[in-house]
């Protein structure tokens, strides 16, 4: 098999952006410890010695704010990575992590479990995420069931898309199958909610997206999935470099596109399903992160995976801080905030490119 040689890019390309994004991530992590419904003043008892207030402040920081901020960073990293894989795989700058129907599958899984619970989750506020259902029952199995249902639904939707597309040989057929699966599963979700209206309020929390109840278990799970997914995407990045030159060129280089595409779809499904299962549906992070990286530096897909992942992490961590602080002590659903900010950025980008005579 011929070796795929990536386009010549300076070795220093992206190094400065990596340092900037890592520094930004560290700054957001520190800021996340101070932002919340009680503000910075909740940290003062930490330096005042022992006592009930100091113990409560430690609990707020170490059991709530720190895992939440790390969880937002990890979920954003997964979505940024999935977005870069999707855009490279489909050779479409408008591709996002939910393109293969994973979002609709996850929503259907959560809606089905909520309906089986008899709408018990509907007692929760609309600003909560799927994870907060555990507050209602006081049992970790409820949360595990909803999280598992979201993940299984996302993966099952991708498998259904692959079945309808008859594999991964044809990118266009795979894309169309994903759109069809998303529409059909979305209709099934709406039907379930229509038959079980008590589940609607809890379901809104999942659809709007939230990092408010991400704990240490969810945080560590997302980080554990992110590292091997990033390594696999980097190992497969030369395939995306070859596909960028055209499918016929990639075939002429001796690449076995079918198994390589299948591996990329697996990375896409795993990263997306894990993030969605823990935080609900968060829009535009996976779509905007690769665009922001390309606007800053010109890199091959191998470096793009890493940089888009860091960019997505910074975007979601920053959006989470805004969601906590803008209307404190009230909290905005972070998915709504990312949709507004990400959609505004992409509209501006389309306007600028159109005015310059280019395309997105």
């Amino acid at each position: 098999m011929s070796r795929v040689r990536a386009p010549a890019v300076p070795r220093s390309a992206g190094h400065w952006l990596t340092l900037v994004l890592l520094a930004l991530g560290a700054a957001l992590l520190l800021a996340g410890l101070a932002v919340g419904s009680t503000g910075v003043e909740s940290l003062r008892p930490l330096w005042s010695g022992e006592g009930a207030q100091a113990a409560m402040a430690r609990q707020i920081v170490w059991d709530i704010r720190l895992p939440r901020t790390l969880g937002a960073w990890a979920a954003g990293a997964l979505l940024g990575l999935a977005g870069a894989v999707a855009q490279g795989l489909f050779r479409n700058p408008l591709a996002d992590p939910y393109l293969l129907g994973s979002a609709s599958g996850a929503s259907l899984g959560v809606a089905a479990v909520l309906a089986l619970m008899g709408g018990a989750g509907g007692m929760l506020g609309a600003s909560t995420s799927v994870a907060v259902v555990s507050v209602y029952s006081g049992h970790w199995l409820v949360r595990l069931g909803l999280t598992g249902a979201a993940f299984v639904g996302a993966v099952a939707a991708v498998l259904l898309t692959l079945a309808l597309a008859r594999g991964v040989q044809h990118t266009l057929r795979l894309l169309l199958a994903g759109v069809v699966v998303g529409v059909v599963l979305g209709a099934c979700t709406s039907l379930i909610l229509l038959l079980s209206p008590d589940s609607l309020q809890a379901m809104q929390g999942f659809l709007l997206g939230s990092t408010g109840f991400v704990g240490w278990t969810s945080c560590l799970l997302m980080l554990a999935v992110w590292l091997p997914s990033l390594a696999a995407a980097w190992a497969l990045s030369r395939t995306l470099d070859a596909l960028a030159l055209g499918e016929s060129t990639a075939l002429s280089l001796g690449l076995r596109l079918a198994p390589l595409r299948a591996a990329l779809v697996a990375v896409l499904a795993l990263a997306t399903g894990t993030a969605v299962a823990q935080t609900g549906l968060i829009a535009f992070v996976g779509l905007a992160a690769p665009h922001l990286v390309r606007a800053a530096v010109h890199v091959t897909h191998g470096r793009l995976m890493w940089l888009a992942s860091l960019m997505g992490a910074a975007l979601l961590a920053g959006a989470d801080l805004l969601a906590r602080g803008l209307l404190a002590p009230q909290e905005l659903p972070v998915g709504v905030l990312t949709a507004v900010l990400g959609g505004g950025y992409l509209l501006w980008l389309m306007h600028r490119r159109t005015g310059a005579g280019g395309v997105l």
Side-chain angles (χ1 to χ4, degrees), residues 90 99 161 164-165 170-182:
F90 293 106
L99 200 58
T161 298
L164 289 177
H170 302 284
T171 303
L172 181 59
R173 183 186 295 172
L174 188 63
L175 179 62
L176 293 176
V179 173
V180 171
V181 168

Side-chain angles (χ1 to χ4, degrees), residues 290-303:
H291 282 286
L292 289 171
V293 172
R294 294 191 194 99
V297 293
H298 175 66
V299 291
T300 59
H301 279 93
R303 294 173 187 172

Side-chain angles (χ1 to χ4, degrees), residues 60-129:
I60 290 174
V61 170
W62 300 110
D63 294 340
I64 298 176
R65 293 183 182 178
L66 182 57
R68 173 177 182 169
T69 306
L70 280 174
W73 191 95
L78 286 169
L79 292 175
L81 173 63
V85 171
Q87 291 177 16
L89 179 63
F90 293 106
R91 288 175 288 167
N92 188 336
L94 295 179
D96 74 344
Y98 305 144
L99 200 58
L100 296 182
S102 57
S104 298
S107 300
L108 179 59
V110 172
V113 171
L114 286 175
L116 291 175
M117 290 169 56
M123 298 177 65
L124 300 171
S127 64
T128 60
S129 72

Side-chain angles (χ1 to χ4, degrees), residues 261-280:
R261 275 197 183 118
L264 287 167
V265 168
V267 172
L268 173 60
L270 179 61
T272 305
T274 302
V276 169
Q278 304 301 327
T279 61

Side-chain angles (χ1 to χ4, degrees), residues 191-239:
L191 179 61
I192 291 176
L193 294 177
L194 181 65
L195 297 175
S196 179
D198 292 339
S199 304
L200 183 59
Q201 193 173 11
M203 191 64 195
Q204 284 179 338
F206 179 84
L207 296 176
L208 294 175
S210 175
T211 58
F213 289 84
V214 173
W216 281 113
T217 301
S218 299
C219 178
L220 295 176
L221 175 62
M222 287 188 286
L223 290 173
V225 171
W226 173 62
L227 289 174
S229 297
L230 180 62
W234 179 83
L236 296 165
S237 61
R238 290 186 179 276
T239 302

Side-chain angles (χ1 to χ4, degrees), residues 176-191:
L176 293 176
V179 173
V180 171
V181 168
V183 172
V184 172
L185 296 186
C188 293
T189 301
S190 299
L191 179 61

